[in-house]
């Protein structure tokens, strides 16, 4: 990546994204965050220079800087990504940690965070704006729709399908071929052996509706 990156969000996701970029010697120009207490501070020696809608900073996008959306809330990530596309004609780049493993035969959309130790296997598909935690696994031919969150150590086994904006908690296991519906939530450590409908929350081993 030739241009430096501006990260929108300077909290947990922003910290992970900064780590991913710096692991690949990508320069992060600054971070932007809507918490006014963070303005004019720094994160690992990278300045936090304003809010995520700071027009002066966002004017740098395109020829001078790339952008990554790292806000905690999924709705906020979607809204910021839409704003970047419509107002600045910019698509967020992927933040892939040097210690992650992404198969050359995997398919990745835009604006994804692939954390240290995460694995995206052959013929897996990861949509746009997904967050893959440390040492998570998206196995062969598994599919993640847009804005899916996969917690640290979670395993999405082969041929499983995860719907848009679904949340998979840390250490959870989604068994091969299982389908998780849009906006469903899988609790930490759960083992999902059957399909989960949209908007449902499941927990336990085997996972059951909460």
């Amino acid at each position: 990546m030739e241009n430096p990156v501006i990260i929108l969000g300077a909290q947990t996701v922003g910290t992970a994204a900064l780590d991913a970029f710096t692991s690949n010697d990508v320069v992060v120009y600054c971070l932007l965050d809507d918490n006014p207490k963070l303005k004019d501070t720094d994160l690992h020696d990278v300045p936090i220079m304003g809010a995520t809608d700071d027009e002066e900073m966002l004017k740098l996008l395109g020829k001078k800087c790339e952008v990554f959306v790292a806000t905690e809330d999924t709705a906020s990530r979607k809204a910021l990504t839409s704003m970047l596309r419509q107002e600045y004609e910019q698509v967020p780049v992927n933040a892939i940690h040097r210690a992650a493993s992404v198969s050359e035969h995997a398919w990745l959309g835009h604006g994804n965070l692939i954390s240290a130790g995460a694995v995206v296997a052959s013929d897996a598909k990861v949509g746009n704006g997904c967050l893959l935690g440390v040492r998570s696994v998206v196995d062969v031919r598994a599919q993640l729709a847009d804005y899916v969150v996969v917690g640290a150590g979670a395993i999405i086994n082969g041929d499983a399908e995860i719907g848009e904006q679904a949340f998979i908690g840390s250490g959870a296991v989604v068994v091969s071929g299982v389908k998780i519906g849009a906006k469903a939530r899988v609790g930490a450590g759960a083992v999902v052996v059957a399909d989960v409908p949209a908007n449902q929350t499941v927990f336990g081993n085997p996972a059951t509706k909460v």
Side-chain angles (χ1 to χ4, degrees):
M1 191 178 302
E2 296 181 1
N3 290 334
V5 178
I6 295 175
I7 298 176
L8 307 188
Q11 300 181 49
T12 303
V13 179
T15 301
L18 176 61
D19 184 48
F21 286 122
T22 56
S23 77
N24 291 290
D25 297 321
V26 174
V27 175
V28 175
Y29 182 80
C30 71
L31 299 100
L32 303 177
D33 196 276
D34 294 332
N35 183 344
K37 294 181 180 179
L38 295 178
K39 186 177 181 181
D40 298 325
T41 63
D42 63 72
L43 180 62
H44 303 311
D45 297 323
V46 178
I48 302 170
M49 299 181 70
T52 56
D53 60 355
D54 188 315
E55 292 184 4
E56 290 303 311
M57 290 293 103
L58 296 179
K59 284 179 182 178
L60 298 173
L61 300 180
K63 293 182 179 180
K64 294 184 178 180
C65 290
E66 306 289 350
V67 65
F68 182 82
V69 180
T71 53
E72 315 299 304
D73 179 65
T74 299
S76 171
R77 287 206 313 282
K78 286 189 68 176
L80 284 170
T81 300
S82 178
M83 178 271 290
L84 290 168
R85 288 176 181 268
Q86 294 175 12
E87 297 184 22
Y88 296 91
E89 298 182 343
Q90 295 299 307
V91 175
V93 296
N94 289 317
I96 303 174
H97 197 284
R98 183 178 61 182
S101 175
V102 178
S103 170
E104 62 179 306
H105 299 295
W107 186 93
L108 296 182
H110 301 285
N112 297 298
L113 171 64
I114 315 293
S115 300
V119 175
V120 182
S122 181
D123 296 325
K125 181 177 180 180
V126 178
N128 301 304
C130 295
L131 307 178
L132 274 60
V134 172
R135 297 191 183 281
S136 58
V137 175
V138 182
D139 211 343
V140 175
R141 293 200 305 266
Q143 296 186 39
L144 273 58
D146 296 343
Y147 301 101
V148 170
V149 176
V150 180
I155 300 174
I156 312 300
N157 278 296
D159 292 308
E161 297 181 17
I162 314 298
E164 184 170 342
Q165 298 185 57
F167 175 88
I168 312 298
S170 298
V173 176
V174 178
V175 172
S176 295
V178 165
K179 294 178 173 61
I180 307 293
K183 296 185 179 181
R185 298 181 64 84
V186 174
V191 178
V192 186
V193 298
D195 293 353
V196 177
N199 300 301
Q200 191 170 101
T201 298
V202 298
F203 189 80
N205 181 7
T208 55
K209 180 181 178 181
V210 175

